[in-house]
Amino acid sequence: MVAFPPRPPDGLPAPGRFAHLHPGDGACLMESAALLAGGRFTDSPPGTHPALAALARVVNDSVGDATRHALWPLAAELADARPAGRAYASLLVGSVVDAARVLRPASRRLARHGRACRRRSEKLAHVPAGGLPGRAADLVWWRGPGRRHLEHALRVLCAAPDADRRLALLLREAVAQARDRAARDGVVRGGRVPAGEGRCNR
């Protein structure tokens, strides 16, 4: 297991829960990613896929202080993690649903959500990105069923006795997979850092 430093280097805001008005007040994981990317202070930086950013925000706001501090190095990876494929969002949401089904294998709702994500990702697997109709359809899915599926699965994970461990592992794996997919898509620009969702806090 990789040992992470207990706190970010000097000059970076202290990790904190929720959104912040100014870096001097602290920064959530996604706000740190925005700073490392050299952009404006926001929890939705353009270099991070919206679905991955949503996952990172909930994880940041739901885990304890020690786990949150241990996760801060992921900000550098999140700053440049935006796969181009249209299937990515449903693949990510499906992986979170699968993680929740480990805890509730008998849940019909989770099973239904998982099937929906698989069908969508299979349908879009070889559909090229781009085009206004496709972007509009993806936005409608993400802001509707996609986000609801993600939020429900995360509520299940947040209720686990070992929620911090599960959420941290899930986010680390999701970031690594997003970076791999972005690299295959030719999206990652090289190097580690390029030049309101539902919460389930405990």
Side-chain angles (χ1 to χ4, degrees):
M1 182 175 179
V2 178
F4 291 101
R7 57 180 54 85
D10 292 341
L12 284 180
R17 297 169 71 195
F18 307 122
H20 302 81
L21 295 176
H22 187 273
D25 301 325
C28 74
L29 191 57
M30 289 313 308
E31 290 165 341
S32 296
L35 290 176
L36 289 170
R40 67 184 181 90
F41 189 63
T42 174
D43 64 359
S44 301
T48 310
H49 192 283
L52 180 59
L55 172 62
R57 285 191 292 269
V58 173
V59 172
N60 176 88
D61 295 347
S62 302
V63 299
D65 289 341
T67 302
R68 186 179 306 107
H69 279 253
L71 288 172
W72 76 260
L74 288 180
E77 304 291 343
L78 283 161
D80 194 18
R82 193 178 183 114
R86 290 186 59 195
Y88 173 71
S90 51
L91 285 170
L92 174 63
V93 174
S95 70
V96 179
V97 171
D98 288 344
R101 290 193 67 197
V102 172
L103 292 167
R104 294 187 185 174
S107 170
R108 294 183 179 179
R109 182 177 181 183
L110 288 173
R112 187 169 64 250
H113 291 175
R115 287 193 299 271
C117 288
R118 282 191 295 275
R119 284 195 301 267
R120 180 174 176 81
S121 60
E122 289 168 2
K123 177 182 177 182
L124 298 177
H126 302 293
V127 177
L132 182 58
R135 291 197 299 271
D138 293 344
L139 184 62
V140 168
W141 182 84
W142 167 240
R143 293 195 173 176
R147 183 174 293 181
R148 290 195 299 271
H149 298 346
L150 179 67
E151 291 175 348
H152 176 67
L154 285 170
R155 283 194 293 271
V156 172
L157 289 163
C158 287
D162 57 345
D164 277 27
R165 181 188 66 81
R166 290 178 184 271
L167 291 170
L169 178 61
L170 181 66
L171 182 58
R172 288 187 176 119
E173 291 177 346
V175 171
Q177 291 167 2
R179 293 278 297 178
D180 287 345
R181 290 184 66 88
R184 291 198 301 271
D185 295 338
V187 174
V188 174
R189 294 179 285 277
R192 291 175 62 85
V193 184
E197 276 66 24
R199 313 294 186 186
C200 56
N201 305 300
R202 291 177 296 130

